[in-house]
Structure formats: structure tokens, C-alpha cells
Amino acid sequence: MKTNQFTSSSDRLTRIIKEVDMIEDIWLQQETTELTNSTATKPLYFQTWHHRNVYVCTGPLYLPKLEADGKSYIKYQVIGKNNVAVPTHFFKVIVMESDNQKLDMEAYVMPNAVIKDDTPLNVFQVPPESIERAAGLLFFDKISRSKLNKINGRWA
């Protein structure tokens, strides 16, 4: 993927993990500047959390959409001469540790589209299992769900 593929597109090149999040390790800071840590996005916003420790898994999704014929299809844009796939959505699965060592989990799926600034973040909350199914991945599977204090703000 080359950065010039984004110059004629409404999409922008966005880092999945920001350099400032890797402040303790210079090698990891440098790794965040690689194109493998980048994806094509529409302008998005993300909330900041204040906890003792925060662990985040984030990535692209290609989700189906119900069409007029009543069937679901996965359609996504490709850009540039190398046909770089533009995700339809992005996910974040977050585990936060409070000062009293309790764990909370939050899970979000956001469309790769312009989102109004006044849209509440909880509109995008989904069960973590739905992201695992769509992504084909398991998140924080070594943490028993019974050890979580809250999932998406609700008592687990």
C-alpha cells in the first residue's frame, strides 16, 4: 500500500495504533509509522478513557448489508491501482482495569463513514461476541467473562 493512493479519495490514511500510545518503547513507536499499521478511513472520532490500564483491540470489518432483493451482500470500495480494500466498518474491543483492579469490557462497531459529532458513542456498542463472529477472532479469551465487572456499562 502506498500513501499516494489516498490523494484522490475521500478516505484518509489513519494509524490504527498511535505513536503516543507506545511511549515506553522506541522500537514500538517506530513500528506505528509503518503502513501495515494504517487503514483507509472516513473521518471518525473516538472517546478517551481514564483507567489504570487500558487494553484495546481494533481493526477493520467487512460487514454484509441487506439489499433491495432481500439478500445480504458484502460490498466494499477498493482504491488505488493496487485495489486496496476500504473496510465498511471498524471495531474496538476494550478491557479497562480500574484502580481497584476490577475489569470492564466495552465493544464497538462503527461504520467507516462520516459520523456526526453529537452522535453518542453508546449507539455503536455491540456484544463482544458479535465482533468475534464477524472478525473470526477471539478477544481477551484468557479472561473469563465471569471475571468482568461490566460489559458495555452493564453488570456482567
Side-chain angles (χ1 to χ4, degrees):
M1 178 168 55
K2 294 185 173 30
T3 56
N4 65 358
Q5 293 179 152
F6 297 92
T7 56
S8 62
S9 169
S10 64
D11 299 300
R12 69 179 187 192
L13 188 62
T14 302
R15 289 186 183 153
I16 296 171
I17 299 173
K18 296 188 182 331
E19 183 178 359
V20 71
D21 294 336
M22 299 294 142
I23 199 150
E24 295 174 9
D25 188 322
I26 191 69
W27 182 82
L28 289 175
Q29 281 182 347
Q30 292 170 343
E31 287 291 301
T32 64
T33 63
E34 298 294 325
L35 286 176
T36 54
N37 182 43
S38 303
T39 190
T41 64
K42 306 285 186 222
L44 297 175
Y45 73 92
F46 293 104
Q47 180 176 336
T48 302
W49 293 270
H50 302 283
H51 288 78
R52 181 177 181 196
N53 289 302
V54 178
Y55 307 92
V56 181
C57 294
T58 187
L61 290 173
Y62 300 86
L63 297 179
K65 183 178 176 185
L66 188 63
E67 296 289 335
D69 64 2
K71 297 178 183 176
S72 293
Y73 298 91
I74 297 177
K75 291 184 182 179
Y76 53 89
Q77 179 185 9
V78 294
I79 57 176
K81 66 180 179 180
N82 293 328
N83 291 323
V84 176
V86 178
T88 61
H89 294 77
F90 290 94
F91 69 82
K92 286 195 179 289
V93 180
I94 304 140
V95 170
M96 299 162 284
E97 180 184 11
S98 62
D99 287 333
N100 61 3
Q101 297 183 330
K102 294 196 180 225
L103 298 175
D104 294 341
M105 180 183 277
E106 294 185 6
Y108 300 90
V109 171
M110 301 178 82
N112 189 4
V114 176
I115 299 170
K116 291 177 150 184
D117 288 342
D118 61 349
T119 304
L121 190 58
N122 66 350
V123 167
F124 305 107
Q125 281 187 329
V126 298
E129 298 79 14
S130 68
I131 298 173
E132 290 177 335
R133 276 192 308 276
L137 301 168
L138 295 175
F139 299 102
F140 305 107
D141 58 321
K142 301 296 183 205
I143 300 173
S144 170
R145 293 291 200 256
S146 66
K147 293 195 178 187
L148 294 173
N149 187 42
K150 292 182 184 175
I151 299 175
N152 288 339
R154 295 181 186 90
W155 297 106

